[in-house]
Structures are given as C-alpha cells and as structure tokens.
Amino acid sequence: MIVVTSGSKYMDIDAYACSIAYAQLLNLLGINAKAVSTANLNNSITKSLRNLNTKLDNYQIKEDDKYVVVDVSNPDFFDKFVKQENIIKVIDHHVGFEQYWNDKIMDNANIEFIGAAATLVFEEYEKNNMQDKMNIDVAKLLMAAILDNTLNFTATVTSNRDKRAYKKMQEIVGCKDFDKLYFNECQLQIEENLEDTIKNDTKTEKVSENLPRVFAQLTVWNKDFLLVNIYKIKQILGDIDDEWMLNIICLQDKRSYIIADNKNMQVKLQYLLESQFDNLIMPLESVMLRKEIIRKAKSI
C-alpha cells in the first residue's frame, strides 16, 4: 500500500486536500493508495469540507507500506508513523530540503516555492492526463487549499500557476462564489471557537533569533472580532510561552496585523517587518504569510 500523508502536529487544508487528492490520483492510475493522518485537523478545513464524501482513510499502517509525503519536506515534522527509508515521493511548496530529497529520491522530489502544494498536486493530475477524471469533492478541497495558502490570491507567494489551477478546477466544480463561501465559513468557525482555532494553527519551533518560538496565524475576512478579544488571545498564547506572536491576516483590509506583547520581541519584529507597534498591535503594509515572515527572519 502507498500511504499519502503530511505533518505530525496539525493538518491544514493544504495538507488535507493534497493527501486525499494524491491518493485518489494513484487509485485512478491503478495503484493502491490511502490518505492517512494522525494529526489534528485545524480550522482551515471547514465543517462543509469535512462533510464531503471524500475524506481521509481509516487504515492501519503496515510494516512494508510506502509513503508519499505532501505539504512538508522537513523530516522532523513528518507524521509519526512515517519511515523515511520507505518514502517514494515528496510534494511540497516549502523550500529548504530540495537537495536532501533530490539526493534520496531524485525526480520524485517535487519541491517548489509556489503558493500552494495543492497546485503541484493538480499539476500531477495533468501530467498523468487525469484532470478530467478528478472528483468534484477533490477539486473543492484543492481549491480551498489554494485560496487559503494564497490568501485569496493576495499573498506575494501567489503564482500564475496557482491562479491557473484554481480556474481549471472551478470549471470542474461550477461554483463562481466558492471563495466567498469558503472564507465566510472560516470566519464563523474562528468566532465560535477562538482558543482551539489558535492552538490548532500555532507553530512551536525556534527558527530564528528574530522570531519567538510560538508563532500563531489566523486568516479572517474581518479582524474586528479578534481585536476585541486581544486579551483573550494574549492569555491563550501566553500559556504556551512567554514569547509569542500572532499574525492576523485580514482579507478585507488586504494586510496583516502582528500581535505580540513581549517588549524585546516587539523591538525585533519592528526591525524585521519595518513597522511600529501601537501597544500590542503592529499593522503591516500588506498581507504577509507566516512562511514569508520566517523566510525573511532566516535571511537576516
């Protein structure tokens, strides 16, 4: 069996969509495959998407299973059951481990800096002439992943390939307002359960001296609900670590708002992101993804 999976801590819509979509592609090609994860699903995977007929598989991992890993290429963050020596393919849009995987699996390492891993998976369907056989539910999942990862095509990581893949799948789904439906549902879920939403999209890794170990991110249509609850946010993230930050991506404003309360970290973030804090809040000039902020911090 080929098991398609992703990271261990949590699963966002890109990892979820890619796992399911690539497993289905393999099955269309006559190769037995299952999409499996032990990670918590975060709120980018909305209730309506979870209720689609297309879901993760309930499958018991076996000793000789082979693995395709999607939306992650750092071995430290693979799902706990993955055996590196059994990995046959990696599909990821986070760069940094290209040479590592090229040395191990050569052409089966598909790692490119692009808006969404979902775009790479859609292109795998095209390479195999299977785009016309794509399930509508799979197309919806991949479309949501592209929307989420490109912030409705406003993020600087957005490529023409992301836009093209989305348009092609929109033709399969036949819904012109899919973006509005998706983001409105995301907003409602955040408002209903703020604490779990934050915890399920928080990275805890010291990647740079210019960033705190605890780095949360939320994408919303309207930021007002979060700003009203800023002291609740402070408590939620402060319970994890003294140094933390939250990147609120507001699609309505087309900009990010950075929340942090540690004074030393505020100084570092002001230098890194070229803006100023007003109490706990620092507005940025445009939308900036967590991965873009991490990349910038690592480059200094």
Side-chain angles (χ1 to χ4, degrees), residues 62-68 83-88:
K62 295 181 175 58
E63 186 71 22
D64 59 349
D65 286 338
K66 303 298 183 184
Y67 299 99
V68 174
K83 292 183 179 180
Q84 276 200 58
E85 63 271 21
N86 287 356
I87 292 174
I88 60 171

Side-chain angles (χ1 to χ4, degrees), residues 194-208:
L194 180 60
E195 183 170 356
D196 284 350
T197 303
I198 290 174
K199 288 181 177 179
N200 286 337
D201 204 349
T202 297
K203 287 187 180 292
T204 53
E205 178 191 7
K206 191 65 175 177
V207 295
S208 167

Side-chain angles (χ1 to χ4, degrees), residues 250-268:
C250 180
L251 297 176
Q252 187 178 55
D253 295 353
K254 296 184 179 179
R255 62 165 57 184
S256 286
Y257 296 85
I258 304 299
I259 314 295
D261 73 338
N262 181 280
K263 297 300 181 184
N264 290 331
M265 188 53 62
Q266 284 185 353
V267 172
K268 292 180 180 180

Side-chain angles (χ1 to χ4, degrees), residues 88-105:
I88 60 171
K89 190 174 183 69
V90 175
I91 302 172
D92 191 20
H93 65 134
H94 305 94
V95 296
F97 283 82
E98 299 94 319
Q99 192 60 54
Y100 179 85
W101 289 110
N102 284 337
D103 291 343
K104 287 182 175 294
I105 56 177

Side-chain angles (χ1 to χ4, degrees), residues 205-217:
E205 178 191 7
K206 191 65 175 177
V207 295
S208 167
E209 289 304 313
N210 297 304
L211 295 174
R213 186 178 71 90
V214 175
F215 192 165
Q217 178 170 282

Side-chain angles (χ1 to χ4, degrees), residues 8-22:
S8 60
K9 189 173 185 296
Y10 66 85
M11 184 170 250
D12 65 10
I13 182 58
D14 206 14
Y16 183 80
C18 289
S19 297
I20 293 171
Y22 196 76

Side-chain angles (χ1 to χ4, degrees), residues 157-185:
V157 297
T158 305
S159 71
N160 287 332
R161 288 163 65 189
D162 297 302
K163 294 175 182 178
R164 175 186 169 277
Y166 184 88
K167 186 175 180 180
K168 290 285 186 181
M169 286 184 286
Q170 194 172 37
E171 293 171 3
I172 295 171
V173 171
C175 178
K176 292 184 178 180
D177 295 328
F178 184 83
D179 53 346
K180 294 176 184 177
L181 295 171
Y182 174 68
F183 285 119
N184 282 332
E185 190 176 5

